[in-house]
Amino acid sequence: IVEYKARYSIGKRPHEPYLPPLFGLTCLGSSSGFDPKDNTSGFILWINHHGIMIDPPVNTTEWLLDSNVSPKFIDSIILTHCHADHDAGTMQKILEEQRITLYTTETVLDSFLRKYSAFTGFPESYLHTLFAFNGVKIDLPVFIHGATFKFFYTLHSIPTIGFTATFQGKTIVYSSDH
């Protein structure tokens, strides 16, 4: 049996509350689901002073609070695929918040709902009421907080999406888990 204890080292807690940037990135973890010692890969993309979590690791809210970052700055999640090292933090965030918007494809959403329905015993229809779903289509623009996102499929063992996000002339590309 492998026990997992999420690790994060923020150093000294800042005295001033965090103010989100106009455009930026905060890494939440960079390890894999096979590593019991470090946080799985995930990050926050800051756009127009709002945070979008991408495949958040478990206990991200705890890390945010310990870092003097209000979790209320995070109003959206992009879920790239349904492996536990990418979706467990997503489910945790959904359960912690009153309402969060989930961006993903219908295929990934269906997998997510089936998985967590089996895991929790709650019907898929109930789980779907816990968040606002904003379905994305491959190669069609999606606008989030003033940025333009374009999603694409990536090479992986299950359906997995990556994206480009463009905001005020700057672009970031996330190829996901491939």
Side-chain angles (χ1 to χ4, degrees):
I1 198 165
V2 176
E3 286 191 29
Y4 176 75
K5 171 90 171 113
R7 278 187 359 168
Y8 50 89
S9 175
I10 62 167
K12 188 175 179 183
R13 182 179 183 182
H15 294 289
E16 297 295 320
Y18 179 77
L19 298 175
L22 190 61
F23 187 69
L25 185 84
T26 300
C27 183
L28 300 170
S30 60
S31 196
S32 74
F34 298 105
D35 182 354
K37 295 182 180 170
D38 285 317
N39 287 346
T40 58
S41 61
F43 59 94
I44 301 170
L45 183 57
W46 299 101
I47 298 175
N48 221 4
H49 309 290
H50 296 274
I52 303 166
M53 284 186 178
I54 290 81
D55 296 339
V58 172
N59 296 328
T60 296
T61 298
E62 183 180 359
W63 178 88
L64 289 169
L65 291 170
D66 285 351
S67 301
N68 212 4
V69 179
S70 172
K72 296 299 179 190
F73 288 136
I74 315 302
D75 62 3
S76 306
I77 294 175
I78 293 173
L79 178 61
T80 64
H81 66 292
C82 287
H83 279 157
D85 57 328
H86 291 263
D87 66 12
T90 298
M91 188 61 182
Q92 184 180 37
K93 182 72 173 169
I94 287 169
L95 294 173
E96 290 171 346
E97 295 299 323
Q98 296 203 4
R99 197 71 167 167
I100 195 135
T101 301
L102 180 64
Y103 293 88
T104 194
T105 63
E106 291 274 351
T107 302
V108 174
L109 175 69
D110 290 346
S111 179
F112 179 76
L113 291 173
R114 265 192 319 276
K115 177 180 183 175
Y116 283 96
S117 176
F119 183 72
T120 64
F122 293 120
E124 291 178 33
S125 57
Y126 170 72
L127 293 175
H128 203 291
T129 67
L130 300 177
F131 55 90
F133 171 61
N134 194 325
V136 302
K137 304 277 187 209
I138 301 304
D139 288 329
L140 293 179
V142 175
F143 303 98
I144 307 172
H145 300 308
T148 303
F149 285 75
K150 277 201 168 181
F151 292 87
F152 52 87
Y153 279 118
T154 62
L155 181 61
H156 200 41
S157 59
I158 61 172
T160 303
I161 58 173
F163 62 85
T164 62
T166 303
F167 180 73
Q168 294 188 348
K170 296 179 182 170
T171 300
I172 184 170
V173 177
Y174 181 56
S175 61
S176 190
D177 197 7
H178 77 284

